[in-house]
């Protein structure tokens, strides 16, 4: 049973998702004690495997100014995807809804 709030991890400058112990949402575990001292658990924070499209969108966002997206020779759907920046609040709302449905 979680003892604190769930954690999500993102890259600070791009908002790209990171995984904690290979999961999108990390639930901290109860602290164990040994000889009166807390035993800290290691949490591995890693990037997920992105699809080629997701990776390319992240790269274009980093290299091309937003005002120049319309000048790119790509489909309108990709231009729309470029304008949809990662929204942590929206993702947290979706995750919260999904976890409530599991209860």
């Amino acid at each position: 049973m979680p003892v604190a709030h769930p954690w999500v991890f993102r890259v600070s400058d791009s908002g790209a998702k990171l995984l904690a112990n290979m999961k999108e949402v990390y639930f901290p575990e109860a602290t164990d004690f040994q000889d009166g001292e807390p035993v800290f658990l290691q949490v591995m924070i890693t990037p997920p495997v992105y699809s080629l499209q997701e990776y390319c969108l992240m790269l274009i966002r980093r290299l091309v100014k937003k005002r120049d997206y319309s000048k790119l020779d790509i489909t309108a759907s990709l231009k729309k995807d470029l304008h949809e920046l990662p929204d942590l609040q929206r993702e947290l709302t979706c995750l919260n809804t999904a976890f409530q449905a599991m209860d």
Side-chain angles (χ1 to χ4, degrees):
M1 178 167 166
V3 294
H5 62 83
W7 288 55
V8 294
F9 297 88
R10 298 291 183 262
V11 176
S12 61
D13 63 343
S14 67
K17 292 179 185 180
L18 295 171
L19 303 178
N21 292 344
M22 303 304 289
K23 295 183 180 176
E24 227 179 281
V25 179
Y26 172 71
F27 292 93
E29 298 175 16
T31 304
D32 286 331
F33 289 87
Q34 188 174 32
D35 298 327
E37 297 293 322
V39 176
F40 295 100
L41 301 174
Q42 187 175 34
V43 177
M44 300 298 292
I45 300 172
T46 57
V49 176
Y50 290 106
S51 71
L52 181 58
Q53 179 176 336
E54 289 171 315
Y55 187 77
C56 289
L57 289 171
M58 287 188 291
L59 184 62
I60 291 169
R61 284 186 192 113
R62 196 172 18 187
L63 298 175
V64 179
K65 291 184 169 93
K66 198 172 192 175
R67 67 176 181 257
D68 295 331
Y69 290 170
S70 62
K71 298 176 187 174
L72 296 172
D73 189 20
I74 58 175
T75 64
S77 62
L78 288 175
K79 289 178 185 176
K80 181 181 177 236
D81 290 346
L82 280 171
H83 286 284
E84 292 178 3
L85 295 173
D87 183 346
L88 182 58
Q89 189 62 45
R90 182 180 65 222
E91 288 181 41
L92 289 173
T93 300
C94 291
L95 286 169
N96 188 38
T97 303
F99 283 111
Q100 285 180 351
M102 291 170 44
D103 286 340

